[in-house]
Amino acid sequence: MQATRPVPRHIRLTSHPEERKSAARVRWGAATPSERGPVVGTLTPERNAIGAHSGSYSLYRALAVAAGTLDPVHVPDLTDTAPAATIGPHPQWGSPERIVSIDPYGHLVSDAWADRLEAGWDIRPTIAVTKARIKMPEFDQAIAAGRLRPDGKVLTENGDVRVTKAAVEPVWYLPGIAERFGVTESELRRSLFEQSGGMFTELVTRGDLKLFLPPIGGITVYLFGDTQAITDPARRVACRVHDECNGSDVFGSDICTCRPYLAHGIEVCIEAAQAGDCGVIVYNRKEGRALGEVTKFLVYNARKRQPGGDRAETYFERTECVAGVQDMRFQELMPDVLHWLGIRRIDRFVSMSNLKHDSITRQGIEVVERVSIPKELIPDDASVEIDAKKAAGYFSDHAVDEAEAASTRGRGLHE
């Protein structure tokens, strides 16, 4: 193991008065990136954000530095890393109340602040956009059943789907987050400081730093078809907002509807793309209703061991007993990524969640149709989850009616 490198000279105590003078100014919601200014979360004199890039992965970076395998002052070479597809700018980027949890210019660092990069600033992208192919066994099943037809452009003969995808790291504008939740900025900062075990002292000592890079999971966006269709009022947008469920999404657990709903949402997006429209899958890293997988598994045990087994009427009660709340996903922040994409109308929203629907419409995005999962795609063991959501008012009456109607049409709401 190599010797530990000396700490760079610009690292000081967070309350040091000299550091207060060095932060690069940011005007959140400014009309242009030059007016707005870059997000600088690196350990440099220009740093204007609390926390560090890459969320929880920053701790692995710290291990690499401690182990001597990473130069602590390494600056990434961003040559040829520009987005593989054009996204924005959109008018919503200049509305500070519309986007408060991500940096809409996060993928444009190389162009927007080329002069500052040339001057030696360590500015890092918080969004990356690339192109890829995805494949799930469900696509082959849909092709065999005749629900999907390969066209060689969106869906290949071997079941691959061509997509544009974006990885998005969270960037919280603290005044905007506080306003979105109806609390003061000082209350928000104090709660973040205390509930993270005092991990980020700058939250309470540096009121001049308005940006926070939280150590949480980010977002992956999958776009199907022509991304320019998103802002074309003559074309339609299909969308599924999906919250992470590792057990179902990756390992195929059949006790919930997560993977079936995800696969169904992608199927709807493929259909939209093949019709000349656009499909959008937003994948949020919020495992177990943002309670975490350990809590999730504890709840599984508690529900299965209760008298009478797993029952719809006590489904969410056991979650609240273990975690103190039923859900911590806070859909209030979810529409930010839709604003980043420039979405103003969702023609086919593949979700029955009132929480998701209402948070989107409150942000001024129109939802034309809500698309349910066909009953034949729901695993038998997951029926208790659907019943529990109905009992808890998770679906609106209109949404339940749609779900019932969908089961009689064979292909759900595809027609």
Side-chain angles (χ1 to χ4, degrees), residues 156-213:
T156 67
E157 290 291 340
N158 66 355
D160 288 349
V161 181
R162 293 186 173 92
V163 298
T164 299
K165 63 180 183 179
V168 183
E169 293 179 358
V171 177
W172 286 6
Y173 177 57
L174 293 173
I177 297 280
E179 183 176 355
R180 187 79 62 89
F181 283 88
V183 300
T184 67
E185 184 182 338
S186 61
E187 288 172 333
L188 174 64
R189 285 174 175 267
R190 174 63 63 177
S191 183
L192 290 170
F193 169 71
E194 291 178 346
Q195 296 306 314
S196 62
M199 187 184 302
F200 301 99
T201 57
E202 289 166 308
L203 286 166
V204 291
T205 63
R206 294 293 305 274
D208 60 314
L209 299 182
K210 301 298 184 181
L211 303 178
F212 178 44
L213 305 180

Side-chain angles (χ1 to χ4, degrees), residues 47-116:
R47 187 169 71 94
N48 58 19
I50 302 165
H53 286 294
S54 301
S56 58
Y57 291 99
S58 64
L59 299 182
Y60 288 105
R61 186 166 63 243
L63 286 178
V65 170
T69 59
L70 175 64
D71 186 341
V73 294
H74 168 75
V75 177
D77 180 355
L78 299 179
T79 303
D80 293 332
T81 63
T86 300
I87 296 179
H90 298 296
Q92 296 95 315
W93 295 12
S95 299
E97 73 282 358
R98 290 295 188 210
I99 300 178
V100 299
S101 63
I102 63 176
D103 174 13
Y105 297 103
H107 58 311
L108 303 178
V109 165
S110 296
D111 290 332
W113 296 289
D115 56 339
R116 303 195 195 190

Side-chain angles (χ1 to χ4, degrees), residues 14-30:
T14 57
S15 59
H16 197 288
E18 290 184 22
E19 190 176 4
R20 184 180 298 275
K21 300 176 184 178
S22 63
R25 184 183 179 191
V26 170
R27 291 179 53 212
W28 198 262

Side-chain angles (χ1 to χ4, degrees), residues 175-258:
I177 297 280
E179 183 176 355
R180 187 79 62 89
F181 283 88
V183 300
T184 67
E185 184 182 338
S186 61
E187 288 172 333
L188 174 64
R189 285 174 175 267
R190 174 63 63 177
S191 183
L192 290 170
F193 169 71
E194 291 178 346
Q195 296 306 314
S196 62
M199 187 184 302
F200 301 99
T201 57
E202 289 166 308
L203 286 166
V204 291
T205 63
R206 294 293 305 274
D208 60 314
L209 299 182
K210 301 298 184 181
L211 303 178
F212 178 44
L213 305 180
I216 60 175
I219 303 167
T220 308
V221 179
Y222 290 85
L223 303 173
F224 302 74
D226 183 5
T227 58
Q228 301 306 306
I230 289 176
T231 54
D232 183 348
R235 293 194 279 178
R236 304 199 303 169
V237 174
C239 178
R240 163 76 182 162
V241 177
H242 190 90
D243 295 319
E244 180 181 28
C245 178
N246 184 58
S248 179
D249 297 342
V250 178
F251 293 100
S253 170
D254 62 356
I255 64 173
C256 66
T257 58
C258 294

